[in-house]
Amino acid sequence: MAAHLSGVGLTPFGVRPGRSALQWQAEGARAALDDAGLRPRDVDAVLCGYATTLGHLMPADLLAERLGVRPAIAAGTSVGGATGLAMVAAAVRLVRAGDARAVLVVGGEDRASGRSRDDATRTLAQVGHAEQEIPLGGTVPAYYALLASSYLHRHGLGPEALAPLAVTMRRHAGAHPGAQFREPLTVDDVLTSRPVAEPLRLLDCCPVSDGGAALVVTAAGGPRSVRVTGVGEGHRHQHLTEADEAAFGARDAADRALADAGRDLADVDHLGVYDSFTITLALLLEEIGISAPGRAGADAAAGRFDRTGPLPLNTHGGLLSYGHCGVGGGLAHVVEAVTQLRGEAGERVARATTALVHGDGGVMSAHVSAVLEAP
């Protein structure tokens, strides 16, 4: 049975005090249901991502209750930044198996306003090894900075090689009214921004945001429904100290999704790729095979990933500029791909027919890809 993305919902991201994670989730969910033309009683499965500010053991049941949904299936999901795509993949499998006909997939959090910066840093650092990494003061930016240092050394590059990726994301965000940051950037702006964890500087890192996003995956498609023709995953390690830099798992996930769809990379004309840091984006683009080793930043500088370029990437601005509210941040890549494939992106439209969307969780630890095709 085919699976379709029939509804999407995305809130503006930013620092917006006064709403809880549950409220952000509900706002995104209602928007997705409205977009799909469905009512809460039409939903028979709810998949909800974790929220670091919520602390509830049963997020899907909690959200279903808030929405008035009485699902046959409900599950909370937690695989870091890959959670959104992992829920999409699970929803597709439920629909294909005939176990559900309408699956609501949701992520949202008051990550910017619901906890202090230090508390958020400590919480997210727990993806590190409890004995070998966290006691040494490891944080998520520090883990990715180690990867950035290794990458730049391996390819004989300086920090300026990554900066064009941040510049491109900001240029795309400038055309989206919901983006947290819209002011133009230059490579020099990135290089002179505050150091966070060398060689990564502030503008190499995504912001922390409040917001929500949701999708409805259905068995029956309508005239605006985007087909999900392939899903795939790759999980090779949890901790950075166990990672193989030559194969994190991204290529596994993308290859499996493309094979599932009966496609290859040459068929893809739109990209949504996780970009928590500029180094995250560079590593993913290169491992998947979109850019040659060491060339992701150069491809961005040459305009390859521009909205009007040959392979538009994160045309909403990605995590680096649209913002990052946890699970909802990863789902925003899918929402944007659907919007583009429908031809409903307004001035951001990038005439796409086949999209590859990829999520990364932990420190390049969990990888999920999906292939989406226009109605």
Side-chain angles (χ1 to χ4, degrees), residues 267-332:
D267 298 316
V268 173
D269 54 14
H270 184 88
L271 294 169
V273 180
Y274 203 80
D275 57 321
S276 50
F277 301 90
T278 51
I279 184 59
T280 315
L281 189 52
L283 289 170
L284 292 174
L285 289 169
E286 293 173 23
E287 182 175 331
I288 291 170
I290 295 158
S291 291
R295 296 291 299 172
D299 283 348
R304 186 182 179 207
F305 303 130
D306 286 356
R307 188 178 71 252
T308 56
L311 197 51
L313 167 70
N314 298 350
T315 48
H316 63 311
L319 302 173
L320 285 166
S321 282
Y322 192 90
H324 193 0
C325 64
V327 174
L331 279 175

Side-chain angles (χ1 to χ4, degrees), residues 57-352:
L57 296 177
M58 301 169 64
D61 291 85
L62 184 68
L63 177 63
E65 181 180 81
R66 171 63 66 97
L67 297 172
V69 176
R70 302 290 182 264
I73 299 167
T77 306
S78 179
V79 281
T83 299
L85 266 295
M87 293 191 295
V88 171
V92 168
R93 294 178 187 124
L94 286 172
V95 167
R96 286 178 174 176
D99 292 331
R101 294 194 61 80
V103 185
L104 180 62
V105 173
V106 186
E109 188 171 346
D110 54 333
R111 184 168 286 192
S113 62
R115 68 189 326 154
S116 71
R117 181 186 65 184
D118 290 346
D119 188 26
T121 299
R122 283 192 298 270
T123 299
L124 296 173
Q126 302 311 302
V127 299
H129 196 290
E131 297 172 351
Q132 299 176 25
E133 296 171 7
I134 296 172
L136 299 177
T139 64
V140 171
Y143 302 143
Y144 276 92
L146 289 171
L147 289 174
S149 295
S150 175
Y151 171 89
L152 295 174
H153 174 74
R154 186 164 64 252
H155 296 295
L157 301 170
E160 68 280 358
L162 297 173
L165 294 163
V167 173
T168 300
M169 294 306 95
R170 183 61 63 86
R171 184 161 57 247
H172 290 170
H176 199 304
Q180 185 168 355
F181 293 104
R182 302 177 63 195
E183 302 81 8
L185 281 184
T186 66
V187 166
D188 191 56
D189 290 332
V190 179
L191 296 176
T192 57
S193 62
R194 175 173 63 83
V196 172
E198 291 288 358
L200 300 179
R201 308 184 85 81
L202 182 65
L203 294 175
D204 286 298
C205 310
C206 67
V208 179
S209 316
D210 299 327
L215 312 163
V216 181
V217 180
T218 61
R224 294 171 62 246
S225 297
V226 167
R227 294 172 294 142
V228 188
T229 55
V231 292
E233 302 192 32
H235 303 269
R236 287 177 171 248
H237 70 278
Q238 168 59 52
H239 302 116
L240 180 59
T241 44
E242 296 294 329
D244 177 359
E245 289 186 72
F248 290 107
R251 185 63 179 260
D252 293 342
D255 283 353
R256 288 165 184 158
L258 289 163
D260 189 30
R263 297 287 189 179
D264 58 37
L265 274 178
D267 298 316
V268 173
D269 54 14
H270 184 88
L271 294 169
V273 180
Y274 203 80
D275 57 321
S276 50
F277 301 90
T278 51
I279 184 59
T280 315
L281 189 52
L283 289 170
L284 292 174
L285 289 169
E286 293 173 23
E287 182 175 331
I288 291 170
I290 295 158
S291 291
R295 296 291 299 172
D299 283 348
R304 186 182 179 207
F305 303 130
D306 286 356
R307 188 178 71 252
T308 56
L311 197 51
L313 167 70
N314 298 350
T315 48
H316 63 311
L319 302 173
L320 285 166
S321 282
Y322 192 90
H324 193 0
C325 64
V327 174
L331 279 175
H333 289 76
V334 188
V335 172
E336 177 66 11
V338 170
T339 304
Q340 292 286 353
L341 291 168
R342 287 174 168 177
E344 297 177 355
E347 66 179 270
R348 304 191 326 280
V349 71
R351 308 210 182 281

